[in-house]
Amino acid sequence: MAHVLKTLPAPPSPRHPSPDGHADGVSNDEFRAAMSRLAAGVVLVTAREPALDPDDPTAPLGEDVGMTATAFLSVSLDPPLVMVSLREGSRMDDLLAEQPHWAVSVLSESQRHIAGRFAMKGRISDRLLFEDLPYVRGAASGAPLIGGALATLECRTEQTVAAGDHTLVIGRVLTASLPSGEGSPLTYFRGRYRQLG
């Protein structure tokens, strides 16, 4: 019996690298434009710097640090895990490399000013950013939990994963509360903060 060989179509030839160096041809602008069509919730990630001298209980603690994030999601129910994506080398990335406890405040649509304040480039000191905001300090993390947030979570880092120019931080949820039962979430879509409806 004669064997018949089928000729498979040749795989598409790879595109030439784009101007910003991606061999697969997807430019930064194309990628950003596509991902901007994905609506995301907006959170404030917070952490407190460790004491300047960990061996001296009377040494002053470092500053509170905050960062607006839209790349935040639930990972697991059992155990309760969440994940946040941090730009590699950012202040929060550097801090969470040494401080395992952090917190997340899920912002409401009325807290757009908080999101904008902690997303500014070349911003002022974090101490000044927190100065006029209502918050309580989390018992498990020591980090600020923003008053009026739709939900707050305190976390302990379980794992970090290097991913391109970001670090994925997976945290076990230690506490979860709903400080504000009212309001709708603040979302981010097509490069702008938005409200539902």
Side-chain angles (χ1 to χ4, degrees):
M1 180 174 182
H3 293 284
V4 178
L5 295 176
K6 291 187 176 179
T7 304
L8 297 175
S13 60
R15 291 172 62 182
H16 295 292
S18 64
D20 51 10
H22 297 298
D24 56 9
V26 177
S27 72
N28 288 349
D29 288 343
E30 289 169 330
F31 181 64
R32 280 196 196 97
M35 295 310 297
S36 74
R37 269 52 176 186
L38 177 64
V42 183
V43 302
L44 183 69
V45 181
T46 56
R48 187 164 197 176
E49 290 178 328
L52 300 177
D53 182 356
D55 298 325
D56 180 0
T58 63
L61 290 172
E63 278 191 339
D64 292 319
V65 176
M67 181 199 87
T68 302
T70 56
F72 174 77
L73 55 91
S74 167
V75 172
S76 166
L77 183 61
D78 186 16
L81 299 175
V82 293
M83 186 194 78
V84 65
S85 179
L86 307 176
R87 185 174 43 79
E88 184 182 30
S90 66
R91 185 166 185 204
M92 187 64 73
D93 183 40
D94 292 342
L95 176 55
L96 294 194
E98 59 176 302
Q99 163 61 282
H101 293 96
W102 45 283
V104 172
S105 298
V106 179
L107 300 180
S108 72
E109 62 186 8
S110 66
Q111 295 176 315
R112 180 184 303 208
H113 64 290
I114 297 174
R117 176 184 295 193
F118 285 90
M120 289 187 300
K121 293 183 179 177
R123 65 192 198 196
I124 58 175
S125 147
D126 283 67
R127 180 179 53 78
L128 296 175
L129 294 177
F130 281 104
E131 202 165 59
D132 61 346
L133 291 181
Y135 67 84
V136 296
R137 198 163 292 286
S141 66
L145 305 173
I146 300 301
L150 296 181
T152 59
L153 305 140
E154 292 183 272
C155 308
R156 182 185 65 237
T157 299
E158 295 275 297
Q159 183 180 359
T160 60
V161 179
D165 58 4
H166 277 62
T167 302
L168 307 180
V169 180
I170 298 170
R172 180 183 290 255
V173 178
L174 305 175
T175 71
S177 62
L178 306 175
S180 175
E182 301 298 321
S184 297
L186 180 62
T187 59
Y188 193 72
F189 180 66
R190 297 185 75 170
R192 291 178 52 200
Y193 296 119
R194 311 272 183 163
Q195 298 172 237
L196 291 182

